[in-house]
Amino acid sequence: MNILTIIELDNSEVEKILDASIVFQEETVYENVISTCVEGFKCNRTNEILDSDHAMEKVFVMLKANHYIPSEIQDFSYELSSCERIKSNTPEKDELPKMVSISFSQCV
């Protein structure tokens, strides 16, 4: 039997684990529709930009170190949410994607 586990983290939780801020990239899809996705992470201490793969590997390692993920798990996948939203004259920060998912499976 294979058990799939999904851990959902709020953006702020990921930023806290990494001590980094999420960098969003916006692209105008249509005249009034904007697509927003995660471009990477900016380290708060060094201003270094981490690519998403490297950053999520760090999150995975930290979750294992804190026993949220069993130590024997080696492989994982992740999903950084994106969204499409209507362009507004007063863009709200809360319209940005808010969740990150990490998943892994184990045989029992």
Side-chain angles (χ1 to χ4, degrees):
M1 179 181 353
N2 203 15
I3 298 174
L4 175 67
T5 303
I6 299 172
I7 299 173
E8 290 188 333
L9 302 161
D10 187 74
N11 284 353
S12 62
E13 292 174 300
V14 173
E15 289 175 329
K16 183 177 179 181
I17 290 170
L18 294 172
D19 190 23
S21 300
I22 296 176
V23 178
F24 290 98
Q25 177 184 15
E26 293 185 343
E27 177 184 345
T28 301
V29 179
Y30 299 107
E31 184 177 323
N32 63 341
V33 177
I34 298 172
S35 176
T36 304
C37 60
V38 175
E39 184 175 296
F41 297 81
K42 183 177 180 180
C43 181
N44 292 333
R45 288 176 281 116
T46 65
N47 289 330
E48 173 190 3
I49 300 294
L50 303 170
D51 70 31
S52 297
D53 288 341
H54 184 74
M56 295 311 297
E57 180 72 35
K58 284 185 166 188
V59 171
F60 177 74
V61 168
M62 291 301 293
L63 291 174
K64 280 178 67 171
N66 289 316
H67 307 289
Y68 292 107
I69 296 173
S71 59
E72 65 271 9
I73 302 297
Q74 299 299 316
D75 297 322
F76 73 100
S77 62
Y78 69 90
E79 181 179 341
L80 303 171
S81 57
S82 61
C83 69
E84 289 186 352
R85 56 192 165 91
I86 303 298
K87 192 175 193 176
S88 170
N89 291 336
T90 56
E92 306 264 337
K93 191 165 183 88
D94 64 343
E95 293 177 3
L96 296 173
K98 293 181 175 47
M99 297 300 289
V100 174
S101 298
I102 291 180
S103 59
F104 60 90
S105 62
Q106 60 192 118
C107 295
V108 292

